[in-house]
Amino acid sequence: MSSSDILSNLERFAGQSVLVTGASGFIGLRLVLLLLAHRAQVTFLQRRAEPTALSRDILLADLAEPDFEARIARVWGERRFDTVFNLAAYGVMRSRDSSFEGRRRQRLLAQRVNVDAALALFRHAQKTGSNSFVQAGTCFEYAPLTGEAPRIETDPLDRRDNLDSVIYGVSKARTTEALLRSAPSGTLSLVVARIFNVYGPGEKAERLLPSLVQNLSHCRRVPLSVGLHIKDYLHVDDVVEGLCVLALTTRDRKFQGVLNLSSGLPVSVAQFSRAVAHTIGDCEHLLSFGERPVHPDEVPVLIGSTAARDIFTEWRPRRPLYVGLPSVVRHMMAKG
């Protein structure tokens, strides 16, 4: 699908009613901007009344509260949205609270926000006649496997309940299973988009790319692991375009399943870091590989197969790493 074809396809959102949860997040904000650029009527569902210039149509429901389902029903009511994007999530960044009470709270909120609230949103979308429901999944749903083969959507999911470091991925895997069990009971199309490693403008400062840019651009040494882990990187604007195309495609034909949102291309953390240093210039010597320990629960190779998605849609990512990464690095440097 060419750039002009993608833009023409996205014009179909003009005048359509769209509900977005997680709209203030890294991916959610870029998604909202893209939808508004194509004249969609966007409504936010968020937990607090934060001022925003993007939309005055805001539904308030805190998905972390015990009565989240009643709150959803009360603010949503009988309104019908053509498409629902659920990007709300808990635990994307690992918590620093390792106390017993902290870990208990993390598990409770991961179950409530990631699993139970997603299911409540889906049921309400079914009840009110939405056409498509797009659930933001994650590559961390996959169970660790040996070998370097790209993950396919039917690979085993992570069920390691005894590890605090994988609460997010395990809870999102449960979400996928719960949604797929509920989907056959109605006509609402469902696509769980398993998103791989996203980079781009708006990342939190503690993530790898902003940390590299902030330190290298000020000639500061960056302690890193050995950098041998293989990941699958995708520009955030490719991610949001992909989410929108999947929403439109599932609207055209009934679909209830999972698709990887990935590049399918293996890139090591060391390669990624050196590419950042090369863009900034004359600072690769500041990359201190091997100075930080490798996290014991990190999967050595995590790449997403694109085969199923390529059959489902003609859309392909438009920003390969050698184009997207330098542009993001320069953007971050310009913003200081």
Side-chain angles (χ1 to χ4, degrees):
M1 184 179 288
S2 68
S3 299
S4 59
D5 289 337
I6 291 172
L7 296 176
S8 176
N9 198 23
L10 296 182
E11 287 298 327
R12 295 169 57 198
F13 277 111
Q16 296 291 299
S17 58
V18 179
L19 179 68
V20 180
T21 72
S24 62
F26 169 41
I27 299 174
L29 180 58
R30 301 293 282 198
L31 173 64
V32 168
L33 291 172
L34 183 64
L35 290 167
L36 291 175
H38 290 88
R39 295 171 292 141
Q41 303 299 313
V42 181
T43 299
F44 296 171
L45 191 149
Q46 58 191 44
R47 60 181 178 175
R48 61 173 69 97
E50 297 171 335
T52 174
L54 296 178
S55 176
R56 293 183 178 144
D57 193 358
I58 299 173
L59 309 180
L60 296 179
D62 191 341
L63 303 184
E65 292 296 322
D67 61 342
F68 63 87
E69 189 155 12
R71 293 175 183 234
I72 292 170
R74 183 168 62 252
V75 300
W76 189 331
E78 299 301 316
R79 292 183 61 177
R80 179 187 175 279
F81 297 99
D82 295 295
T83 302
V84 177
F85 290 95
N86 182 30
L87 277 69
Y90 173 82
V92 178
M93 304 299 293
R94 288 175 180 157
S95 173
R96 296 178 181 177
D97 186 352
S98 59
S99 66
F100 174 80
E101 182 58 30
R103 295 196 304 270
R104 188 193 71 82
R105 176 174 169 77
Q106 290 159 36
R107 292 178 184 277
L108 172 66
L109 290 178
Q111 175 68 33
R112 185 179 294 165
V113 176
N114 296 348
V115 186
D116 300 335
L119 196 54
L121 289 165
F122 181 76
R123 285 194 294 257
H124 210 82
Q126 279 183 316
K127 176 184 174 183
T128 52
S130 294
N131 289 323
S132 58
F133 189 97
V134 181
Q135 168 70 21
T138 172
C139 61
F140 301 115
E141 295 177 42
Y142 288 113
L145 297 176
T146 57
E148 299 183 2
R151 299 304 178 87
I152 60 174
E153 289 80 354
T154 53
D155 278 348
L157 301 183
D158 201 338
R159 304 183 189 281
R160 295 177 291 171
D161 286 335
N162 59 328
L163 293 179
D164 295 324
S165 59
V166 296
I167 291 173
Y168 172 68
V170 170
S171 65
K172 295 291 276 187
R174 288 178 184 154
T175 306
T176 295
E177 293 177 320
L179 288 172
L180 292 176
R181 284 195 300 269
S182 296
S185 62
T187 59
L188 174 60
S189 282
L190 163 71
V191 59
V192 178
R194 283 207 182 116
I195 302 171
F196 279 66
N197 292 84
V198 190
Y199 71 93
E203 288 189 67
K204 290 184 179 295
E206 58 266 36
R207 286 169 60 96
L208 176 61
L209 178 54
S211 176
L212 286 169
V213 174
Q214 175 67 15
N215 286 287
L216 295 178
S217 63
H218 290 86
C219 299
R220 292 194 294 258
R221 191 170 52 84
V222 185
L224 297 163
S225 70
V226 289
L228 299 180
H229 283 75
I230 305 296
K231 300 181 181 291
D232 185 322
Y233 292 97
L234 204 61
H235 192 290
V236 65
D237 288 340
D238 278 330
V239 170
V240 298
E241 277 186 7
L243 290 172
C244 287
V245 171
L246 291 179
L248 292 170
T249 308
T250 56
R251 186 186 300 179
D252 295 337
R253 48 194 171 104
K254 180 90 177 278
F255 180 85
Q256 293 170 338
V258 182
L259 293 170
N260 286 334
L261 204 48
S262 59
S263 70
L265 301 174
V267 177
S268 72
V269 172
Q271 288 174 306
F272 185 90
S273 302
R274 289 190 178 105
V276 174
H278 177 75
T279 301
I280 295 172
D282 195 28
C283 59
E284 190 173 324
H285 63 285
L286 297 172
L287 301 172
S288 297
F289 293 110
E291 192 167 317
R292 294 181 62 177
V294 175
H295 196 284
D297 300 322
E298 190 164 359
V299 180
V301 179
L302 192 54
I303 314 160
S305 168
T306 66
R309 190 197 70 220
D310 290 348
I311 292 172
F312 183 71
T313 174
E314 294 180 359
W315 175 83
R316 304 291 183 269
R318 296 193 292 137
R319 300 162 183 86
L321 195 65
Y322 67 87
V323 173
L325 186 57
S327 70
V328 174
V329 170
R330 288 190 286 267
H331 171 84
M332 289 181 172
M333 291 178 68
K335 294 200 72 174

